[in-house]
Amino acid sequence: MLKIITGKAKGKKILTLEGEATRPTSERIKEAVFSSIQFEIENRRVLDLFAGSGQMGLEALSRGAESAMFIDAAKEAMDIVKKNAEATGFFGASRFLVSDYRNYIRKAAGRDVYDLVFVDPPYGMECCRESVERLLKAGMLADGALVVLESGTEFDELPAEDEVFSSFEVLKSTHYGKKTFVNILKYRKGETA
């Protein structure tokens, strides 16, 4: 059973879709991620790009984020996100869109800008790098934005010479078991490594 860890909605239960269609971030990983970014959440505009249950964006709202945009390609997942937003009291601070991540980024380019982005696609998609590249090209990351990548086999560490990641400082890079890799990045506009 997933729950909001702390903040305004502490202890509230998070519903998840039945079956294997979505793979919610484990409580252990969620706790580790939020421990790492706990002082970087207040008043942030959040994008939960592969929302699933919406637990990452809702946890951020519980900890003082200003607003959250939830994107998921599956209508069933978004129905769950809306129920969770209602149950946690954050429906009014949330926006919801059933959309493929590519379409959303293309349409939101030059309009939506975020300070905290969760990129946690189904592991088989291996699209963390592509998602970050699209967000950068679309100008959707504020200077100093944090990007939390959770991936399977796409990469266990970020490629050092990769141009997409040259504008980011790696705040944390770690793995959990053999299948889950988490990278927390800080964006510096106009900087390259």
Side-chain angles (χ1 to χ4, degrees):
M1 173 63 67
L2 298 175
K3 292 181 181 173
I4 298 291
I5 299 168
T6 197
K8 295 176 202 158
K10 181 179 180 178
K12 296 273 186 183
K13 292 177 183 170
I14 298 289
L15 301 172
T16 57
L17 270 181
E18 303 260 336
E20 301 297 311
T22 59
R23 174 207 35 80
T25 298
S26 74
E27 290 286 305
R28 177 177 163 228
I29 294 171
K30 182 170 71 167
E31 197 152 351
V33 165
F34 279 95
S35 290
S36 297
I37 65 171
Q38 63 185 333
F39 302 114
E40 305 267 359
I41 300 171
E42 191 108 358
N43 301 317
R44 296 284 184 130
R45 297 160 295 177
V46 176
L47 172 61
D48 197 340
L49 194 54
F50 298 86
S53 66
Q55 71 161 329
M56 298 302 276
L58 292 169
E59 184 73 42
L61 287 170
S62 184
R63 292 168 183 247
E66 178 184 300
S67 61
M69 177 64 158
F70 295 94
I71 306 295
D72 202 286
K75 182 189 178 308
E76 301 78 21
M78 195 54 68
D79 289 343
I80 293 281
V81 174
K82 287 178 180 176
K83 284 180 185 171
N84 287 331
E86 195 77 62
T88 54
F90 298 121
F91 198 87
S94 304
R95 291 187 300 149
F96 312 92
L97 184 64
V98 176
S99 175
D100 169 80
Y101 71 100
R102 292 181 182 116
N103 286 334
Y104 167 67
I105 293 171
R106 183 173 47 78
K107 290 177 181 171
R111 183 188 70 206
D112 295 353
V113 178
Y114 298 99
D115 310 293
L116 175 57
V117 178
F118 295 103
V119 180
D120 180 13
Y123 287 172
M125 287 178 73
E126 296 195 354
C127 62
C128 284
R129 182 192 181 281
E130 180 198 347
S131 299
V132 172
E133 183 174 28
R134 287 175 181 272
L135 288 165
L136 280 171
K137 286 182 176 171
M140 293 173 68
L141 298 178
D143 188 30
L146 295 183
V147 179
V148 179
L149 304 177
E150 186 179 332
S151 62
T153 56
E154 185 173 357
F155 36 63
D156 52 358
E157 61 182 59
L158 298 180
E161 303 301 315
D162 193 318
E163 193 177 310
V164 169
F165 299 112
S166 64
S167 299
F168 292 90
E169 174 191 352
V170 179
L171 300 181
K172 183 173 186 167
S173 185
T174 190
H175 63 88
Y176 298 88
K178 293 179 179 171
K179 292 185 178 172
T180 303
F181 299 91
V182 174
N183 291 279
I184 301 175
L185 314 174
K186 188 165 203 164
Y187 177 56
R188 292 290 180 217
K189 216 171 202 167
E191 284 185 24
T192 52

